[in-house]
Amino acid sequence: MSLETNTPIARMPIAVLGAGAIGKMHIERIAQHPEVSLAGIADPSSAARDLADSLCVPWYADPLALLNETNAKAVIVATPNVTHTPIGLACIARGLPVLVEKPISDTLANARLLSDAAQTAGVPLMVGHQRRHNPILRRARELLQAGLLGTPVSAVVMATWLKPDEYFDMAWRRQIGGGPVMINMIHDIDAMRFLLGEVVSVQAQTSHLVRGFEVEDTASALLRFANGALCTLNTSDAAVAPWNWDLAAGEAAHYPKQEVDSMFISGTEASLTIPQLRIYRYAGQRGWHQTLTEERTPLHRADPYVAQLSHLRAVAEGRAMPVCSGPDGLRTLEVTLAVHEAARTGMTVQLSHG
Ligand SMILES: NC(=O)c1ccc[n+]([C@@H]2O[C@H](COP(=O)([O-])OP(=O)(O)OC[C@H]3O[C@@H](n4cnc5c(N)ncnc54)[C@H](O)[C@@H]3O)[C@@H](O)[C@H]2O)c1
């Protein structure tokens, strides 16, 4: 979503709180973006202080000091999950529109607190499920909403790939909550909610037999959507495999792109693969003895993090509603936590909002 104007516009100053892996990605894109500028960085690490120095922007160890002292007109919260609610609340209390990284928070109660506070205060809150800004996923959604697939009945989502051994040097990545369900599957769940609507129940199994850590290395979940569609999500970070959105969609340069699909949606009229956007359907007579046609829809690639920044500005200026709102982030977290609960109890988890 870009600004439709030919006259030069002042860049909107945006602060980044937390300058770790994802915070640095936001900072790099802000530096290149014509619509926004970097108001400052808050992160107690010396690496963050050095980064702020190199970019000639104010640095603060404490996010509250930054919020009080800089001219930021919007904020990106890219700190650890447990801090999302207190830091997000501090932004909302100051009337500052906020993009909080995924997951919206560490628990459902804290997620609700944050989402409700934003709604009550009338301050925009966005959640960083950036795939919603990817033109490929948006095109898939248009095709579904236009009825191309008829009624969606079945979806298969793959997220199998190999995380290197050193990834697990940090203790939290070996513990419950630091695994592929909360780190990776949550994105697939949000993408499927974006495409297919609300999830009403969840079944799941997890396994940690490859690495033997407390955290899962492999998980499979079965989601039932309100429209009756069923979706299986298969995730493993211990597999030598390319079927993963990050490898297939080519969103970030540090993941070498693979020419494969990772999502397969079947409907009563046609089926669709994503991200390649292949459509399979019958030209005439229908049935399993007939030959299916295969079409490719033209692809439009763009960096979703850059589009998300334009969107943050548009939301902050009241020109757009969040593509991923607080309630969206809350529901995606609810489904993701239900995967863990279903795996732990062996029971089907029914979701209240369905
Ligand atoms: N959208 C995505 O695809 C994506 C990808 C990775 C991470 N994330 C999310 O982003 C968040 C950060 O993850 P990460 O991988 O960048 O972690 P990280 O550990 O690499 O970075 C976190 C940074 O926050 C700083 N920090 C900690 N407490 C702070 C505080 N109170 N105030 C300011 N700074 C503080 C740390 O010093 C560190 O530099 C997490 O919520 C994570 O789930 C999202």
Side-chain angles (χ1 to χ4, degrees):
M1 199 173 302
S2 61
L3 293 176
E4 289 176 14
T5 171
N6 293 323
T7 50
I9 46 158
R11 294 175 183 218
M12 174 179 279
I14 295 179
V16 176
L17 314 183
I22 194 74
K24 277 189 284 202
M25 285 182 64
H26 289 301
I27 289 166
E28 277 166 22
R29 282 158 179 79
I30 290 171
Q32 310 278 323
H33 203 294
E35 298 168 26
V36 296
S37 62
L38 187 60
I41 296 173
D43 183 320
S45 72
S46 56
R49 189 190 55 216
D50 293 347
L51 179 61
D53 283 351
S54 72
L55 296 169
C56 303
V57 297
W59 169 81
Y60 296 86
D62 176 10
L64 298 188
L66 179 150
L67 297 179
N68 291 338
E69 293 173 25
T70 65
N71 66 343
K73 294 284 181 280
V75 179
I76 296 177
V77 178
T79 51
N81 302 350
V82 288
T83 65
H84 289 187
T85 293
I87 293 179
L89 290 175
C91 297
I92 290 163
R94 289 161 178 77
L96 282 169
V98 57
L99 163 61
V100 65
E101 262 305 340
K102 56 63 49 175
I104 177 173
S105 194
D106 55 335
T107 65
L108 273 187
N110 283 338
R112 253 184 224 111
L113 200 62
L114 184 59
S115 179
D116 289 352
Q119 248 162 339
T120 305
V123 176
L125 170 66
M126 289 167 48
V127 183
H129 287 290
Q130 75 277 356
R131 288 189 200 172
R132 291 181 181 230
H133 298 277
N134 190 308
I136 300 170
L137 207 67
R138 296 177 84 92
R139 181 76 185 123
R141 190 170 192 247
E142 280 168 15
L143 295 172
L144 278 152
Q145 289 185 338
L148 183 92
L149 271 61
T151 303
V153 290
S154 170
V156 174
V157 178
M158 297 292 294
T160 51
W161 59 349
L162 188 68
K163 289 180 185 163
D165 291 344
E166 57 271 22
Y167 177 91
F168 297 94
D169 287 348
M170 278 191 239
W172 67 269
R173 290 178 170 154
R174 304 193 295 270
Q175 295 157 3
I176 298 288
V181 170
M182 190 54 85
I183 304 285
N184 308 109
M185 190 189 272
I186 189 169
H187 281 297
D188 286 324
I189 289 171
D190 188 69
M192 283 299 121
R193 285 192 56 252
F194 189 54
L195 297 179
L196 298 177
E198 287 306 346
V199 176
V200 294
S201 68
V202 178
Q203 294 171 284
Q205 296 261 347
T206 58
S207 167
H208 62 173
L209 282 185
V210 174
R211 295 201 183 86
F213 296 147
E214 180 186 73
V215 74
E216 75 282 352
D217 49 53
T218 304
S220 292
L222 169 58
L223 312 184
R224 173 181 285 275
F225 286 81
N227 62 10
L230 302 179
C231 170
T232 54
L233 299 121
N234 304 282
T235 301
S236 179
D237 61 19
V240 175
W243 299 297
N244 185 302
W245 173 268
D246 291 298
L247 300 182
E251 275 187 353
H254 56 276
Y255 295 124
K257 181 163 164 33
Q258 302 283 323
E259 291 303 322
V260 296
D261 283 300
S262 65
M263 300 173 176
F264 306 83
I265 304 182
S266 308
T268 52
E269 298 299 324
S271 59
L272 176 68
T273 73
I274 308 171
Q276 304 262 335
L277 296 180
R278 290 176 215 265
I279 297 163
Y280 296 88
R281 54 183 161 175
Y282 291 115
Q285 218 180 338
R286 294 157 51 97
W288 61 12
H289 296 301
Q290 309 303 318
T291 303
L292 285 158
T293 62
E294 181 190 312
E295 301 150 58
R296 293 286 292 270
T297 68
L299 270 193
H300 169 53
R301 293 194 189 280
D303 183 329
Y305 297 98
V306 173
Q308 189 175 239
L309 283 174
S310 298
H311 183 60
L312 174 57
R313 176 168 178 165
V315 167
E317 290 178 344
R319 292 181 287 109
M321 297 296 287
V323 163
C324 189
S325 64
D328 277 320
L330 173 63
R331 291 201 184 110
T332 292
L333 178 64
E334 187 177 21
V335 178
T336 310
L337 292 174
V339 170
H340 276 309
E341 190 187 340
R344 187 178 54 78
T345 61
M347 308 289 282
T348 301
V349 178
Q350 308 290 341
L351 297 179
S352 54
H353 61 259

